[in-house]
Amino acid sequence: MNELLIIIFAPLIAGVIAWALDIKGVREIIGVIGAAVPLAYLIKLYSEVDAGNTIRYSTNFGGFTFDFALTHLSWIFAMIAGVVGLAAVLGMVSTSRNSYEWLFALMSLSGVYGVFLAYDLMGFFLFWELMTFGSFMMVLKYNRSASLKYFVLSIIGAYAMLLAIGMIYAKVGSFSFIEVYKALSQDAAMGAVGAGTIFSRGEMAAIFGLFLVAFGVKAGTFPLHVWAPDAYSETNQSYTAMFSGVLSKTGVYGFILIYMLLGYRLIVEFGTFRSVPKFGYIIAFLGGLTIVIGGILAALQEDIRKLFAYSSISQIGYILVAIGVGSALSIEAGIYHAISHALFKGLFFLIVATIVYRTGKTEFKDMGGLAEKMPFTFAMAFVAILSLAGIPPMVGFASKWLIFEAVISQNMPILGGMVFFGSAIGFVYLIRFTYAVWFGQRPTDLDDVKDAPLPLAIGMAILALLNVVFGIAPGIVAQELNKVFGSDVIGGTIWELNIGVGKYSGLLITIWLVIGMLVAAIIYFLGARVRRVPVTDTYQSGNPVTMDYNLTIRRNFFLPLKEALSFWLRISFDKLYRDIAKTTEDFADTLRNYVYNGNVQSYAWYLAIVLLILAIWGV
Amino acid sequence: MISVYYFGSISLILIGLYAVLVKRNVLKMLIGISIMETGVNLLLISIGYVSGKSAPILSEGIGPSQAVDPIPQALVLTAIVIGVATTAMALSVAVILYEKYGTLNVEEIRRLRG
């Protein structure tokens, strides 16, 4: 059997076996093996990919030829799926309730591998649907309405993609990426010299718009993000690490595909806006809105799971901004952030899984002082917080810094502002998570909480370690990304990133940070005076607390923000979609009352009128 | 020039249709349906009529070339039976409706049913 097929189908086969055997203990082992096998194969194939070979495989099935290929780009994305998928599956060893979850979690992982390795549009679509179906079933078991919302939006995305693929196939006559790329770049060349093209301007706009909807749904782009907060929070939290870390990356990969397949043609057709392709600017602007809206909504949540769901949406916005800006540096920065987002967001959701698993609570108001009880999880959370907030020795800083540099170097003030705002709001919601969950007074019912179970701890440790390693040596990732582009877009050594306008050395900063911490520790141990501060002193600014405006960090901490934004918060896309559904229902109801009214005589009238029309027509 | 047979039978159909569309009483609607049926049967028969020919019964002096079209007559024979059967069934439904609701007005029955 071919190696690519093993990578794609190993999780699915393991999932089916685990589901069929359904023996507690055995199914977990099979599941972990199923997630580990593709990762092992990907590592094994690295040397070949690194040498510049593309590993290809094609098979004929039911009249269609399915192409698979492992290029450098798809290797990077598949590695994200492999590492975060393995960590999430390890987490599921602790948190899964039954074999049903193993089947569908591993099925969606198979779908993700298929999406990344597929080299033709048909296979891409099929695996895309497999992934959607698996994740839909995972949500369905926990919350029906959340899963339905996810399903409806996914269906809209899937049909949009299918239509776009159909339009391309109708003109090109092939699904293969290579054929499509050849046809479209030829078309672009024809368009550039003003000759006739096979795709008209309107068709290109339609294909782009349809792909935008299809990939936007999966990535959680504004205004199609409404499914994500519910779906991310209403499922097995270990699985959410995969959901948010890996599945959303297929949307990102899709946007990169737009560049790879349609990019030249779209630039020729629609031109550029300040050296940024116009179609990319649309992606970037949607990404910017996603950052701002996801960030603000994350700050207003009272539920940990919801907070990280919105934060995940917000972080995906960064990737879209970077990809949309469309220079080589910014696309590389976008992929870099996709990697770091998978690492820290996967870690975050595993931490949330641990908290929910150990305490059974999800809201800030029930938490507090867990750092003493769960030191290991707290250490992991500390890494994740630093990484998401973009504090230097973590991978989150390297990728965000690259995005800032990429956006600024293209002279994009609005996008730059949105990205900076997103970072600021990132601190706003993270400080709440940091303080409300880990510090402060502990509710008495959390006194006998234990630390993370071993499999979850291993899963978290893998991701945290990578967060730190890629942070201290950011060049490891950057050099892999350079190989994708075939040129040194980001220079420097493995310790240092150099993009011409600026340098960032992860190692140097780490050394200085360690020295700084040592100095602080020496001062502390030499006898700094310790004074215990009452918890209430830290957040009330000296004002007396009244009961009706009690803004502790655990409850309504950002209520003033909420009140200031109340007008904007009323405009919710979630509500808009519900209103559309309601209007449709009302319209159907009206139709039922006046047309389908149960009166035999009115049906006789309809019949008579139709007959009359036919008679006049002369049938 | 429309033949008087066509005109008469189509008028019967329209009168029946009028009763079905406008009358509120179930029995009157059923009468309308019966009238429509009669009209349809007459129309079918008149389609098969060939001017100056006699009944399609093979007997002395009457061969296949002297008879009117026999097919509509067979069709109408079937249609009459079906018509009677549906009328009988509809009448029994009308009886049940009256027993159940105490009225034969379709509007009222619809309202009572909710």
Side-chain angles (χ1 to χ4, degrees):
Chain A
M1 203 168 156
N2 186 278
E3 285 151 328
L4 297 186
L5 288 187
I6 294 174
I7 292 174
I8 294 172
F9 289 109
L12 183 60
I13 293 166
V16 171
I17 295 171
W19 172 74
L21 288 179
D22 196 13
I23 303 163
K24 203 170 165 56
V26 177
R27 69 183 187 217
E28 277 81 2
I29 293 167
I30 294 171
V32 172
I33 291 171
V37 164
L39 187 59
Y41 267 98
L42 281 170
I43 293 168
K44 189 189 136 209
L45 289 176
Y46 174 70
S47 58
E48 242 177 288
V49 171
D50 192 40
N53 297 336
T54 300
I55 302 163
R56 300 204 49 179
Y57 178 75
S58 70
T59 176
N60 220 312
F61 185 78
F64 286 103
T65 309
F66 289 102
D67 285 331
F68 299 100
L70 192 64
T71 61
H72 217 113
L73 180 68
S74 55
W75 184 83
I76 288 173
F77 274 95
M79 275 303 280
I80 297 178
V83 172
V84 181
L86 180 63
V89 164
L90 280 168
M92 277 181 62
V93 170
S94 306
T95 59
S96 77
R97 293 188 201 158
N98 48 33
S99 58
Y100 172 98
E101 291 185 0
W102 284 99
L103 174 62
F104 290 112
L106 289 168
M107 182 189 279
S108 62
L109 189 59
S110 261
V112 172
Y113 280 123
V115 165
F116 290 150
L117 298 188
Y119 219 53
D120 63 312
L121 289 168
M122 206 61 207
F124 184 83
F125 176 76
L126 285 179
F127 284 108
W128 185 276
E129 287 304 289
L130 185 71
M131 163 185 89
T132 306
F133 176 70
S135 51
F136 160 72
M137 294 301 272
M138 285 302 285
V139 184
L140 178 71
K141 200 75 173 173
Y142 283 74
N143 187 316
R144 244 183 122 72
S145 81
S147 73
L148 274 180
K149 206 195 277 182
Y150 175 42
F151 191 66
V152 168
L153 278 162
S154 292
I155 288 283
I156 291 171
Y159 276 124
M161 192 198 291
L162 202 58
L163 270 177
I165 290 174
M167 285 170 79
I168 292 173
Y169 183 73
K171 291 280 169 86
V172 177
S174 168
F175 290 118
S176 158
F177 281 1
I178 295 171
E179 298 290 323
V180 171
Y181 170 74
K182 270 187 199 153
L184 279 159
S185 47
Q186 206 176 9
D187 214 24
M190 297 287 274
V193 296
T197 51
I198 46 172
F199 285 96
S200 71
R201 191 186 175 85
E203 281 165 346
M204 281 321 288
I207 291 173
F208 173 65
L210 289 168
F211 272 137
L212 198 63
V213 171
F215 302 139
V217 167
K218 195 57 76 184
T221 319
F222 172 84
L224 301 165
H225 64 278
V226 291
W227 62 270
D230 288 356
Y232 284 175
S233 54
E234 295 294 340
T235 182
N236 185 331
Q237 287 303 303
S238 299
Y239 178 70
T240 313
M242 200 196 295
F243 211 157
S244 153
V246 180
L247 267 65
S248 63
K249 298 299 167 299
T250 58
V252 172
Y253 181 72
F255 281 113
I256 294 172
L257 265 191
I258 292 183
Y259 269 92
M260 282 173 18
L261 298 179
L262 312 175
Y264 288 129
R265 183 73 183 85
L266 285 168
I267 292 172
V268 167
E269 190 69 64
F270 298 105
T272 55
F273 171 76
R274 286 194 191 180
S275 81
V276 169
K278 268 187 191 152
F279 77 97
Y281 192 74
I282 297 172
I283 299 175
F285 201 80
L286 284 175
L289 285 175
T290 312
I291 297 177
V292 172
I293 289 163
I296 291 174
L297 288 173
L300 301 177
Q301 300 305 313
E302 297 294 318
D303 186 308
I304 306 179
R305 302 172 300 171
K306 281 251 159 89
L307 185 148
F308 285 116
Y310 276 113
S311 135
S312 179
I313 294 168
S314 173
Q315 297 295 320
I316 294 275
Y318 281 91
I319 305 175
L320 296 185
V321 167
I323 288 174
V325 169
S327 62
L329 172 64
S330 76
I331 291 184
E332 222 171 270
I335 301 172
Y336 203 138
H337 197 67
I339 295 167
S340 59
H341 174 262
L343 290 177
F344 63 66
K345 195 51 76 173
L347 181 53
F348 260 125
F349 276 111
L350 286 181
I351 292 160
V352 172
T354 313
I355 295 171
V356 173
Y357 177 67
R358 282 302 190 202
T359 65
K361 297 188 167 115
T362 62
E363 299 208 351
F364 283 118
K365 63 178 162 58
D366 304 324
M367 306 268 181
L370 285 174
E372 287 171 67
K373 290 288 168 188
M374 305 168 92
F376 178 77
T377 315
F378 172 63
M380 297 295 114
F382 196 62
V383 171
I385 289 163
L386 292 185
S387 195
L388 194 154
I391 291 170
M394 301 295 163
V395 69
F397 177 81
S399 59
K400 276 194 187 178
W401 178 72
L402 285 174
I403 291 174
F404 288 151
E405 292 282 9
V407 173
I408 294 166
S409 65
Q410 295 290 331
N411 298 322
M412 295 302 216
I414 301 174
L415 289 179
M418 284 167 158
V419 170
F420 278 112
F421 179 83
S423 277
I425 202 92
F427 279 105
V428 167
Y429 57 73
L430 281 176
I431 198 69
R432 188 157 185 225
F433 173 71
T434 315
Y435 193 89
V437 173
W438 303 105
F439 302 123
Q441 291 156 326
R442 188 171 47 240
T444 47
D445 57 343
L446 295 182
D447 273 343
D448 48 357
V449 168
K450 286 195 282 294
D451 209 336
L454 185 65
L456 255 175
I458 296 171
M460 285 192 284
I462 293 172
L463 293 179
L465 195 68
L466 286 174
N467 266 307
V468 177
V469 167
F470 288 164
I472 295 174
I476 298 176
V477 181
Q479 284 178 0
E480 285 307 314
L481 293 175
N482 283 339
K483 284 174 197 159
V484 173
F485 283 76
S487 68
D488 271 8
V489 180
I490 302 174
T493 57
I494 63 164
W495 307 110
E496 190 184 61
L497 300 179
N498 183 354
I499 54 169
V501 290
K503 282 185 195 172
Y504 160 64
S505 169
L507 186 66
L508 202 64
I509 281 191
T510 315
I511 292 169
W512 280 114
L513 202 79
V514 170
I515 292 172
M517 284 200 289
L518 284 177
V519 170
I522 290 166
I523 292 171
Y524 180 81
F525 284 116
L526 281 180
R529 236 164 11 106
V530 179
R531 182 171 66 92
R532 275 211 164 267
V533 182
V535 176
T536 44
D537 275 6
T538 52
Y539 51 80
Q540 282 158 16
S541 314
N543 291 317
V545 177
T546 59
M547 276 325 282
D548 54 46
Y549 212 73
N550 186 359
L551 308 178
T552 71
I553 196 148
R554 301 209 175 80
R555 196 187 307 244
N556 294 331
F557 188 57
F558 292 115
L559 190 64
L561 182 66
K562 202 175 198 165
E563 283 173 0
L565 291 172
S566 60
F567 171 74
W568 293 100
L569 289 173
R570 264 206 306 275
I571 307 169
S572 138
F573 270 86
D574 207 358
K575 207 165 127 268
L576 175 72
Y577 295 137
R578 253 182 287 137
D579 285 349
I580 290 172
K582 186 89 176 57
T583 313
T584 316
E585 213 171 272
D586 285 350
F587 175 69
D589 224 33
T590 315
L591 214 62
R592 204 179 72 82
N593 277 338
Y594 290 99
V595 180
Y596 182 72
N597 52 10
N599 185 347
V600 189
Q601 270 182 323
S602 32
Y603 302 151
W605 271 110
Y606 304 149
L607 202 68
I609 290 164
V610 169
L611 285 175
L612 189 70
I613 291 168
L614 287 178
I616 291 167
W617 221 343
V619 177
Chain B
M1 182 64 206
I2 303 170
S3 102
V4 66
Y5 304 119
Y6 289 166
F7 183 79
S9 55
I10 290 173
S11 310
L12 275 178
I13 293 175
L14 290 180
I15 289 165
L17 190 62
Y18 167 79
V20 170
L21 292 179
V22 176
K23 294 295 169 195
R24 292 277 177 264
N25 190 315
V26 172
L27 286 180
K28 285 183 182 166
M29 287 164 79
L30 289 181
I31 291 169
I33 288 174
S34 287
I35 294 172
M36 270 165 86
E37 247 171 56
T38 317
V40 169
N41 290 341
L42 284 176
L43 184 64
L44 284 175
I45 289 289
S46 56
I47 286 169
Y49 179 65
V50 185
S51 166
K53 302 277 169 71
S54 65
I57 301 164
L58 294 180
S59 59
E60 209 170 323
I62 295 169
S65 55
Q66 281 99 30
V68 296
D69 192 352
I71 292 174
Q73 303 192 359
L75 206 60
V76 165
L77 207 59
T78 320
I80 289 170
V81 177
I82 294 171
V84 171
T86 49
T87 308
M89 176 129 162
L91 283 170
S92 61
V93 170
V95 170
I96 293 169
L97 278 179
Y98 189 75
E99 276 176 9
K100 203 163 165 61
Y101 296 108
T103 172
L104 280 175
N105 186 328
V106 278
E107 289 292 308
E108 271 179 51
I109 290 171
R110 207 157 71 84
R111 211 175 55 240
L112 287 172
R113 195 203 57 190

